[in-house]
Amino acid sequence: MKLLFLNGVNLNMTGKREKGVYGTQTLDDINAEIKAFVGDRAECEFYQSNLEGEICTKIHTSDADGIILNAGAFTHYSYAIRDAIASVSTPVIEVHMSNVHAREEFRSKSVISEVCRGIVVGFGKKSYILAAESFLL
Ligand code: DQA
C-alpha cells in the first residue's frame, strides 16, 4: 500500500503563517509525525507545490493507492484540480487542518469535494492522520 500526501499552495508556510490557525509545526514536522504514525503499514510519499499544474500532474502520474490532498486555497476555485481528480481512479481524500466552515464564507465552498472519496476538516495535523487511517483500516 502506498499513500501520497499532497499539499498545495501556501502549505509550505505551515508553522510560519497564521500560527493561531495552523499551529507552529512545519510541514516537515507534520510529515515526520504522519510517517511515524503510518509506520510499516504503508509507504508514504510527501509532495508540496504552490503551482496548480504541478498538483494536477502529480495526481495524473501518482502510483499511490490513495491520495490525501490538502489543496489549500486551490480547494475553493480550482476546476483544474477537480478535473485532475476526476480523471484518475485513485481515491482522493480532501483534508483541511482548519475547520473551513467556521471561517470566512469563501472557505465553505470546495469545488473538489464532489469528486473526492471523503473529507476530513478541522483536526489540525490529525486531519491527515485520520484520512490516512481510512485507507489503513
Ligand atoms: C486549508 C484551508 C484553506 O482555506 C486555506 O486556503 C489553506 C489551508 C487548511 O488546511 O485548513 O491554505 O486548506
Side-chain angles (χ1 to χ4, degrees), residues 7-11 17 22 52 70-79 81 95-96 100 103 106-107 109-112:
N7 282 283
V9 63
N10 294 318
L11 272 303
R17 70 161 177 162
Y22 302 116
E52 186 180 25
N70 185 348
F74 290 146
T75 305
H76 311 301
Y77 63 87
S78 176
Y79 297 117
I81 292 176
V95 304
H96 300 287
V100 285
R103 300 180 64 195
F106 75 88
R107 294 186 204 276
K109 171 73 182 168
S110 166
V111 300
I112 66 171

Side-chain angles (χ1 to χ4, degrees), residues 4 6-7 45 47-64 67 69 74 78-88 90 92:
L4 169 64
L6 184 53
N7 282 283
E45 179 183 356
Y47 184 85
Q48 188 276 328
S49 177
N50 291 320
L51 304 180
E52 186 180 25
E54 286 188 357
I55 297 291
C56 294
T57 301
K58 195 67 185 169
I59 291 167
H60 299 159
T61 59
S62 174
D63 61 354
I67 299 175
L69 171 65
F74 290 146
S78 176
Y79 297 117
I81 292 176
R82 178 201 164 98
D83 285 352
I85 296 167
S87 72
V88 298
T90 316
V92 177

Side-chain angles (χ1 to χ4, degrees), residues 100-117:
V100 285
H101 300 289
R103 300 180 64 195
E104 299 92 330
E105 199 180 343
F106 75 88
R107 294 186 204 276
S108 295
K109 171 73 182 168
S110 166
V111 300
I112 66 171
S113 296
E114 206 179 338
V115 290
C116 288
R117 172 173 286 188

